[in-house]
Amino acid sequence: MISEKIKKGFLLISEPTLKGEFPFNKSVILLAEHNHQGSVGFIINKPLRYTLNDLVPDIFASFKIYNGGPVEQDNLYFIHNIPEIIMGSIEISNGIYWGGDFEETKKLINNGVIKKENVRFFLGYTGWHPQQLENEMESNSWIVSENFQKNKIINKATSNYWEKKMVELGGDYLIWSNTPEDPSLN
């Protein structure tokens, strides 16, 4: 049975931890799919050192690439807010779409039609088997939050987005907003 408090389009914010090696430490995940078959999401606040041109040489744009998660890190995925020009995309929610015709997307980027404000690229994704995410919720691994920024999240989710979410949550979470990525180095 899938949880009613977890919905696609929502954000999963990793609970603070003192374990710096935790693979989702300080992660915010946009949940792209959540149903009885499992869940899929993209870490939206972990930029990599690569640009789009580094990975796809025939694209002449230096858009940042983000670590989408540990699954299929040899594949490139993307979310966007322009379904009217990227055919075949799937709506996540709130004007955010996933995937679509990649060849057409490449042409539109090279022609300057698609800007970095419209799209975000990821290596890999985060995935859960049926009930796995619900089990992680029961063990307090994640804080579920509605995505109030809707399709603007493509630009708003920077590398310090987790810290901003800690401040928004307030209370006991405030102290975590200034912790280093690996607390053992503090």
Side-chain angles (χ1 to χ4, degrees):
M1 182 166 169
I2 63 173
S3 171
E4 291 187 25
K5 73 183 230 182
I6 306 170
K7 296 179 181 170
K8 73 180 196 171
F10 276 31
L11 301 176
L12 300 176
I13 304 163
S14 66
E15 278 282 355
T17 180
L18 292 176
K19 300 176 192 171
E21 76 281 353
F22 175 61
F24 297 108
N25 189 36
K26 293 189 164 190
S27 291
V28 179
I29 296 173
L30 174 66
L31 202 54
E33 186 59 70
H34 180 70
N35 59 39
H36 67 280
Q37 295 177 328
S39 304
V40 172
F42 299 102
I43 301 172
I44 58 174
N45 66 316
K46 301 281 182 167
L48 297 170
R49 57 184 167 90
Y50 307 111
T51 65
L52 188 55
N53 182 255
D54 291 334
L55 301 179
V56 186
D58 59 334
I59 293 181
F60 311 116
S62 58
F63 298 174
K64 285 182 186 178
I65 302 290
Y66 288 76
N67 177 358
V71 182
E72 293 187 17
Q73 287 209 320
D74 55 345
N75 286 328
L76 193 62
Y77 299 90
F78 63 102
I79 61 172
H80 59 89
N81 57 16
I82 45 175
E84 64 280 358
I85 61 173
I86 299 179
M87 298 301 122
S89 55
I90 299 166
E91 185 171 22
I92 296 172
S93 74
N94 297 315
I96 302 172
Y97 293 78
W98 172 16
D101 184 333
F102 188 67
E103 290 304 314
E104 186 62 24
T105 300
K106 287 186 341 185
K107 289 178 196 170
L108 293 168
I109 290 171
N110 284 339
N111 290 331
V113 176
I114 296 177
K115 311 278 188 217
K116 66 181 177 180
E117 298 82 33
N118 303 121
V119 67
R120 181 167 290 196
F121 289 89
F122 304 93
L123 275 179
Y125 67 91
T126 304
W128 294 268
H129 299 293
Q131 285 301 120
Q132 184 181 2
L133 183 54
E134 284 79 4
N135 293 341
E136 289 180 18
M137 293 297 300
E138 287 176 17
S139 67
N140 296 319
S141 298
W142 301 103
I143 302 161
V144 177
S145 172
E146 193 170 331
N147 172 17
F148 295 108
Q149 297 184 318
K150 306 193 183 314
N151 67 2
K152 306 260 187 290
I153 199 164
I154 290 172
N155 301 313
K156 302 286 184 186
T158 57
S159 59
N160 65 345
Y161 197 59
W162 184 87
E163 290 80 0
K164 288 179 181 179
K165 288 297 185 186
M166 291 296 105
V167 171
E168 283 177 21
L169 290 168
D172 291 341
Y173 291 106
L174 274 174
I175 195 166
W176 292 97
S177 65
N178 290 315
T179 59
E181 185 76 25
D182 184 350
S184 69
L185 299 175
N186 198 6

